[in-house]
């Protein structure tokens, strides 16, 4: 199911959705913390964080299918780097799902007219959203870098600095 679309591997196609939705979810979470933008960011955070979790899931599943497909013919060094990328992608998936759960809770408690977002709950959610946004961005960069290395420079012989 997560192998191919139009005879192309699904993973490199769906990764682009994750690359857009995951950092955008982090940005919207930070905007929800700011009182002035809270009412504006509330619904987009919910929708984008759920889209980020869905795209991370499909990217993860399609990446596992791609790794299985190439494992019979890829050189050992390429498989090692691809397995490292898979671990980075798994971490990103779990962080994204956790962030989406926090976003759902924040959406519920920050409804207009409710005062639930104030006090200790508001502080905890704000801290989780900001720290989670940082974790999303950092882990996206780590997973993206290891994926790019797996594709373009798995043996480390190419020097891009010149």
């Amino acid at each position: 199911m997560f192998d191919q679309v139009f005879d192309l591997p699904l993973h490199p196609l769906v990764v682009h959705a994750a690359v857009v939705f995951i950092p955008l979810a982090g940005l919207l979470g930070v905007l929800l913390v700011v009182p002035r933008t809270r009412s504006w960011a509330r619904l987009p955070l919910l929708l984008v964080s759920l889209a980020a979790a869905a795209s991370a899931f499909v990217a993860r599943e399609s990446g596992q299918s791609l790794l299985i497909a190439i494992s019979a013919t890829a050189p050992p060094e390429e498989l090692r780097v691809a397995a490292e990328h898979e671990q980075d992608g798994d971490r990103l998936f779990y962080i994204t799902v956790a962030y989406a759960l926090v976003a759902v809770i924040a959406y519920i408690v920050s409804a207009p007219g409710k005062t639930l977002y104030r006090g200790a709950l508001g502080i905890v959610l704000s801290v989780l959203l900001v720290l989670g946004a940082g974790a999303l961005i950092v882990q996206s960069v780590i997973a993206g870098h290891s994926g790019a290395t797996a594709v373009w420079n798995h043996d480390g012989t190419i020097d891009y600095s010149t």
Side-chain angles (χ1 to χ4, degrees), residues 119-160:
L121 180 60
I123 292 169
V124 169
L125 285 173
S126 295
V127 168
L128 289 175
L129 286 170
V130 171
L131 291 178
L136 286 175
I137 292 170
V138 168
Q139 192 59 37
S140 291
V141 170
I142 291 170
H145 182 268
S146 65
T149 300
V151 172
W152 289 304
N153 197 16
H154 60 273
D155 58 2
T157 58
I158 301 172
D159 181 12
Y160 293 107

Side-chain angles (χ1 to χ4, degrees), residues 82-155:
E84 180 182 315
H85 173 60
E86 180 184 28
Q87 291 173 351
D88 293 337
D90 284 346
R91 272 187 230 105
L92 180 58
F93 168 71
Y94 294 124
I95 292 168
T96 304
V97 169
Y99 192 82
L101 291 174
V102 172
V104 168
I105 294 167
Y107 175 81
I108 292 168
V109 302
S110 66
K114 290 189 177 181
T115 58
L116 292 173
Y117 201 81
R118 295 188 181 145
L121 180 60
I123 292 169
V124 169
L125 285 173
S126 295
V127 168
L128 289 175
L129 286 170
V130 171
L131 291 178
L136 286 175
I137 292 170
V138 168
Q139 192 59 37
S140 291
V141 170
I142 291 170
H145 182 268
S146 65
T149 300
V151 172
W152 289 304
N153 197 16
H154 60 273
D155 58 2

Side-chain angles (χ1 to χ4, degrees), residues 15-115:
V15 161
H16 291 88
V19 165
V20 171
F21 287 131
I22 291 173
L24 185 57
L27 174 63
L28 289 166
V30 171
L31 289 175
L32 187 80
V33 170
V34 178
R36 178 175 277 167
T37 57
R38 183 169 298 141
S39 64
W40 176 87
R42 188 172 166 266
L43 182 60
L45 171 63
L46 175 69
L47 298 176
V48 171
S49 65
L50 292 175
S55 65
F57 172 76
V58 176
R60 179 177 179 241
E61 293 299 314
S62 63
Q64 290 172 347
S65 295
L66 182 59
L67 185 59
I68 291 168
I70 67 166
S71 64
T73 58
E77 184 60 23
E78 187 175 330
L79 289 176
R80 183 193 66 75
V81 176
E84 180 182 315
H85 173 60
E86 180 184 28
Q87 291 173 351
D88 293 337
D90 284 346
R91 272 187 230 105
L92 180 58
F93 168 71
Y94 294 124
I95 292 168
T96 304
V97 169
Y99 192 82
L101 291 174
V102 172
V104 168
I105 294 167
Y107 175 81
I108 292 168
V109 302
S110 66
K114 290 189 177 181
T115 58

